[in-house]
Amino acid sequence: MEQKKHSWFGPKQIGLMVYTAILFLIGTSIIGGNNNTVYPLFAEIRGWDVNILNAISGIAIFLKAIGVIVFAVVVRKTGAKKLTIITLIISAILLIIFGTVKSLPIFLIVMLAIGFLGGAYEKNGGMTLTANWWPTKKGVVLGFTTMGIVAMNFLYVPMMPKIIGRFGLEGAMLILAIILAAVAIIGAIAVKNTPEEAGEYPDGDPTYAVDSSKIVEEMKNYKSPFTTAKVLKDPNTWFIGLGAGFAFLAVMSYIASAIPGMLAMGYDYTMAAAIFAVGGIMGVVGSFIFGVIDQKVGTRKAFILYFVCIIVGFVFALLMPKSIVFCWLAGIVIFAAQGALCNLLPSYVATKYGRWDYTAGYKIIGFLFEVMAGVGVMMTGFFANVIVMYGVAMVCLVIGLIFMILSKDTFIGKR
């Protein structure tokens, strides 16, 4: 009988890549993708202040960061699959309420709850599945799967106003809820927590496991020696978490303000929306390219190169009032950098901690990362002049680059 061939990109692996990419797309869209388009429509139709919605949106991302920590404990007990399914279903129910509620306080509470749950299905569910299935090839894998994050820019952002225009707020949110429920059902049927449960091997490499059933049981009962206190005491936690976090702050300050910022400069909406759409495609390109670079030279070096690229992008952003050309250059480079950022951070954590201890490290590092993203979104409510805000973001990027240079990528987890 011919021996079964295994590969890190076999049919089951590709299926899981697509699934996790969808999880990343959902979390990014319904939590951080509403500032440019959806919230202004809610504000107009409901008669609410859009600045309040944008400010609470930043707090929702803070709660997503808290969710990273809370659900990192839960995912060890339930497994990534069960946690993902349950929190997707709850999020679907909340989206229905989101579209129908007329009370601003209740709307804001639902917004915060949706943000909190993103720390479950996206950050602990999708990222843990990736670390379990690809312990050493996670860089190139995340280069593909985090394309789901940047797909928000050319799928969710331009499409939602059209969907809301046709089906109304209630109908649009119901459609999103149905999509989330469908993803949960697919996960229940097809997703496995580990490759061993699916009859595969980590990285598709048979040398990883001699007794797959034993490893499945060991991973269920494994207690990481990396306690919260131990992770917090490690200087690299802060260098990596805050270093990447400062980059996320800068990226989110741009993404959450780009369209209204360009309109305030006198540029046309159609052109601004086109930059977003093209930028989204560049985000896919950036995600793939930096995934390959990560795999070739290591995550730390790839991260340093990333900082150089995004700093150049913000130089263009500061020059946006001078010419439409700089608007395009800023959009292309920053969106491409966004595509890279969201795969480099989990890849760096997996590089240091491996699949056994990934959640122990990510719950703190990922928390810092998400908190800084929330600060970036909230900055849009504090700076009337986006150019001043981009100047602050540039300073943050320089600090982040220094932190990343100081970080160490030595493996400290379980082999």
Side-chain angles (χ1 to χ4, degrees):
M1 183 181 294
E2 185 179 353
Q3 188 175 7
K4 179 182 177 182
K5 293 183 179 180
H6 296 272
S7 169
W8 69 270
F9 57 93
K12 293 179 182 178
Q13 287 85 348
I14 291 174
L16 187 63
M17 286 184 201
V18 173
Y19 187 78
T20 53
I22 292 171
L23 293 180
F24 299 153
L25 172 60
I26 290 171
T28 304
S29 296
I30 68 173
I31 298 170
N34 293 323
N35 299 81
N36 279 296
T37 53
V38 176
Y39 290 152
L41 290 175
F42 266 98
E44 180 182 351
I45 295 171
R46 296 281 194 257
W48 296 334
D49 185 345
V50 71
N51 291 322
I52 293 176
L53 302 187
N54 286 335
I56 300 301
S57 174
I59 297 175
I61 297 177
F62 284 143
L63 287 184
K64 186 178 181 181
I66 294 174
V68 170
I69 293 180
V70 172
F71 290 112
V73 177
V74 178
V75 75
R76 280 290 181 188
K77 298 178 180 179
T78 65
K81 173 180 176 176
K82 184 181 292 186
L83 176 66
T84 298
I85 293 167
I86 292 172
T87 52
L88 277 175
I89 292 172
I90 296 173
S91 296
I93 295 170
L94 289 174
L95 280 172
I96 296 174
I97 300 172
F98 201 61
T100 56
V101 67
K102 302 297 192 298
S103 166
L104 178 58
I106 296 176
F107 180 86
L108 297 179
I109 291 171
V110 173
M111 185 193 299
L112 295 175
I114 290 173
F116 177 70
L117 291 171
Y121 61 83
E122 180 190 355
K123 295 302 180 180
N124 275 293
M127 295 299 186
T128 300
L129 286 170
T130 302
N132 286 347
W133 278 71
W134 297 278
T136 67
K137 295 188 180 297
K138 73 285 176 190
V140 66
V141 169
L142 285 166
F144 286 108
T145 59
T146 54
M147 290 178 184
I149 294 174
V150 296
M152 171 198 77
N153 301 315
F154 60 85
L155 290 178
Y156 187 82
V157 171
M159 288 301 297
M160 281 309 296
K162 297 177 182 178
I163 294 173
I164 292 173
R166 181 169 181 179
F167 298 100
L169 295 177
E170 296 86 350
M173 294 305 115
L174 177 60
I175 290 171
L176 289 179
I178 292 172
I179 292 172
L180 264 65
V183 173
I185 293 170
I186 292 171
I189 296 171
V191 171
K192 302 296 182 183
N193 283 306
T194 65
E196 289 87 352
E197 289 179 21
E200 293 289 340
Y201 299 102
D203 291 333
D205 183 358
T207 62
Y208 255 95
V210 293
D211 188 345
S212 60
S213 61
K214 181 180 178 182
I215 287 183
V216 170
E217 193 61 30
E218 283 182 1
M219 289 195 75
K220 287 181 180 178
N221 300 315
Y222 178 69
K223 185 175 181 180
S224 176
F226 293 97
T227 62
T228 298
K230 186 173 182 179
V231 175
L232 286 171
K233 290 178 182 177
D234 185 352
N236 283 287
T237 296
W238 301 94
F239 289 144
I240 298 169
L242 290 179
F246 276 121
F248 210 5
L249 177 155
V251 166
M252 291 306 295
S253 73
Y254 172 83
I255 290 176
S257 67
I259 290 179
M262 282 185 273
L263 294 179
M265 295 173 198
Y267 296 119
D268 181 68
Y269 176 83
T270 303
M271 185 277 300
I275 290 175
F276 238 75
V278 174
I281 296 171
M282 290 306 302
V284 172
V285 174
S287 180
F288 172 74
I289 290 175
F290 272 91
V292 174
I293 293 172
D294 179 355
Q295 198 66 36
K296 294 291 185 182
V297 304
T299 311
R300 178 177 172 274
K301 291 179 180 178
F303 234 136
I304 291 171
L305 178 60
Y306 159 84
F307 268 100
V308 173
C309 292
I310 196 170
I311 286 172
V312 171
F314 269 84
V315 170
F316 293 141
L318 291 171
L319 296 172
M320 283 168 54
K322 302 290 185 182
S323 170
I324 188 66
V325 173
F326 291 116
C327 293
W328 278 100
L329 291 173
I332 288 172
V333 175
I334 294 174
F335 276 116
Q338 179 211 10
L341 177 60
C342 292
N343 64 51
L344 287 174
L345 188 277
S347 178
Y348 205 159
V349 175
T351 295
K352 286 195 68 67
Y353 287 93
R355 70 174 184 151
W356 291 83
D357 300 293
Y358 174 83
T359 55
Y362 190 81
K363 71 179 180 181
I364 303 300
I365 296 173
F367 170 78
L368 296 172
F369 184 64
E370 294 294 336
V371 163
M372 299 299 278
V375 173
V377 173
M378 292 185 70
M379 282 171 60
T380 62
F382 298 139
F383 289 91
N385 187 325
V386 295
I387 299 302
V388 174
M389 182 174 66
Y390 296 158
V392 173
M394 178 72 82
V395 174
C396 292
L397 286 171
V398 173
I399 296 172
L401 173 59
I402 293 170
F403 280 3
M404 200 56 63
I405 291 172
L406 293 172
S407 70
K408 298 184 184 302
D409 55 3
T410 307
F411 181 76
I412 58 177
K414 177 179 176 179
R415 293 288 182 185

